[in-house]
Amino acid sequence: MSVKYIPVQWNPNKWIYDAIMLTGVALFLWIFIFISPGLLNHEQPINPQIRNARAFGACGFFMLTVILCIGPLARLDTRFLPLLYNRRHFGVMVFFIALSHAYSVLGWYFSFSPVDRYEALLSANISFTRLRGFPFEILGLFTLLCLGIMALTSHDFWMKFLTPRIWKNLHVLVYAAYAALVGHIGLGVLQDMHAPGMAISFGLATALVVGLHVAAAWHDRRKGDPGATMAAEPGWETVCRVEDVREGFGKVAILSSGDRVAVFRQSDKLSAISNACAHQNGPLGEGRIIDCLVTCPWHGFQYDVTTGRSPEPFTEKVPTYDLRVSDGAVIIRTLPNPPGTYVAPVPVPPGAAPAQTGPTQTTETA
């Protein structure tokens, strides 16, 4: 927890996670550069400068592929959630790998240009009307720009300064970056390579990202967790059944407005707050209630589920929602209350189905 702004970042799990990540990056580059040079081109040798540039480029692509696979995997199986909680360091590392790739390219292909190498990069190829020979360098620069913006704003200061909602929307740039990177590789190096291994790996990786996102969306739809099921009256939406909310845990639903709400059950009373932690949009619905406080699983921030406030002396607040129960259905008022507004918990009606035991699996996008 923090008073106002104190970043909560490092813990033993993060050290282990980062050590594994750095080891994997070093191993990938070592194998690509020293062990499998023939995989790059079977017909003619490649000089070390080009091999190094391609090694960093391939490493960045596969790292970004892994990043985009973590979110849907966590929605399909909660055992992947620890990867989701530590994904930010992975993203910053991708930027430095991409920067190394760009530096290697500039250092080899444009060092001997009669004009400035940055000018040469932007003016050497302007064939925008042709598919083969398209200036794929522009797509690479766009990818690097997106990764740079996300890396520079990855610190908790920017989360607090921009607000969690704006920060999260900004980091949706990762999808634009990946799309541009796919185009950069497909229109660039793959058109000149004769060995099929990289092309096959590239295609499988891209298909994996698309396939996992489609599978996660279908999984969410079949579970029925996200989405309102019916509107009791204008401004109110039914989000679940009373028995769906397990004692001491939360149930996450997505309102028609797109906002995620977490419904909690404590001592057979129901309360609803925003599912997004004020610190880093962590999924509060995956936390457990102890003494009326739900603990965010990402960094331990706590909130009273009846007020949306952190216990003193902490000052974080999240919106609360008005709630009522009708015929066993939990109905939420779609307009949130201002952060920190007290809402009296609603008792579970007598005769309602008993709460299930154990934690409720929820779905939260990255």
Side-chain angles (χ1 to χ4, degrees), residues 8-342:
V8 181
Q9 284 295 317
W10 295 97
N11 56 51
N13 289 335
K14 285 187 180 289
W15 285 109
I16 296 173
Y17 177 90
D18 287 352
I20 294 175
M21 176 186 66
L22 292 173
T23 301
V25 169
L27 187 61
F28 182 96
L29 294 174
W30 180 69
I31 292 175
F32 198 105
I33 295 173
F34 299 107
I35 303 300
S36 304
L39 184 63
L40 299 177
N41 195 316
H42 290 303
E43 297 186 1
Q44 59 183 5
I46 298 177
N47 64 50
Q49 291 82 3
I50 296 177
R51 183 181 301 123
N52 291 345
R54 290 182 176 179
F56 283 111
C59 184
F61 170 73
F62 287 114
M63 289 180 70
L64 197 56
T65 296
V66 172
I67 287 174
L68 288 179
C69 287
I70 291 174
L73 283 173
R75 291 157 63 190
L76 293 168
D77 191 330
T78 55
R79 288 175 293 183
F80 289 97
L81 283 172
L83 297 179
L84 183 66
Y85 302 157
N86 296 280
R87 189 173 54 172
R88 196 194 306 186
H89 293 180
F90 208 151
V92 173
M93 188 64 186
V94 171
F95 169 69
F96 286 109
I97 292 294
L99 196 62
S100 299
H101 168 72
Y103 181 79
S104 299
V105 169
L106 285 172
W108 173 250
Y109 287 98
F110 299 98
S111 289
F112 307 105
S113 173
V115 299
D116 179 80
R117 58 182 180 175
Y118 297 102
E119 181 182 350
L121 173 65
L122 296 174
S123 62
N125 183 6
I126 55 174
S127 304
F128 290 96
T129 59
R130 296 188 305 173
L131 183 61
R132 184 169 182 82
F134 184 88
F136 63 92
E137 298 89 350
I138 300 299
L139 298 176
L141 287 174
F142 177 77
T143 299
L144 185 62
L145 176 63
C146 292
L147 294 175
I149 291 174
M150 291 186 291
L152 290 174
T153 58
S154 66
H155 195 273
D156 279 357
F157 166 79
W158 292 104
M159 171 75 71
K160 193 76 172 180
F161 180 75
L162 295 173
T163 72
R165 182 179 293 275
I166 294 177
W167 184 91
K168 190 170 185 178
N169 290 335
L170 179 65
H171 281 243
V172 173
L173 280 172
V174 67
Y175 294 102
Y178 191 74
L181 182 57
V182 169
H184 175 71
I185 297 174
L187 296 173
V189 66
L190 290 187
Q191 293 196 15
D192 296 328
M193 293 180 65
H194 301 283
M198 181 59 71
I200 294 174
S201 300
F202 168 78
L204 290 176
T206 305
L208 179 64
V209 171
V210 175
L212 282 175
H213 278 80
V214 171
W218 179 252
H219 177 264
D220 291 347
R221 185 180 181 88
R222 290 189 61 188
K223 279 180 58 180
D225 283 344
T229 57
M230 63 178 182
E233 62 183 67
W236 292 78
E237 295 178 8
T238 299
V239 295
C240 63
R241 302 287 301 174
V242 169
E243 59 268 24
D244 294 334
V245 189
R246 303 181 181 182
E247 182 68 27
F249 294 91
K251 179 76 172 179
V252 177
I254 303 178
L255 302 176
S256 59
S257 62
D259 293 333
R260 291 178 180 264
V261 60
V263 180
F264 294 94
R265 182 169 181 166
Q266 179 184 233
S267 301
D268 275 338
K269 293 182 179 181
L270 301 174
S271 298
I273 61 175
S274 169
N275 188 54
C277 177
H279 177 228
Q280 289 184 5
N281 270 355
L284 296 179
E286 295 173 9
R288 184 172 182 177
I289 297 179
I290 299 178
D291 296 331
C292 204
L293 297 176
V294 60
T295 300
C296 178
W298 283 17
H299 301 107
F301 281 63
Q302 293 183 314
Y303 302 90
D304 187 321
V305 296
T306 64
T307 64
R309 293 176 176 268
S310 295
E312 293 184 354
F314 310 112
T315 59
E316 287 76 20
K317 295 181 291 184
V318 297
T320 57
Y321 287 84
D322 294 333
L323 176 152
R324 66 191 187 197
V325 177
S326 177
D327 295 327
V330 179
I331 306 173
I332 297 291
R333 184 169 179 260
T334 56
L335 182 65
N337 298 308
T341 301
Y342 172 77

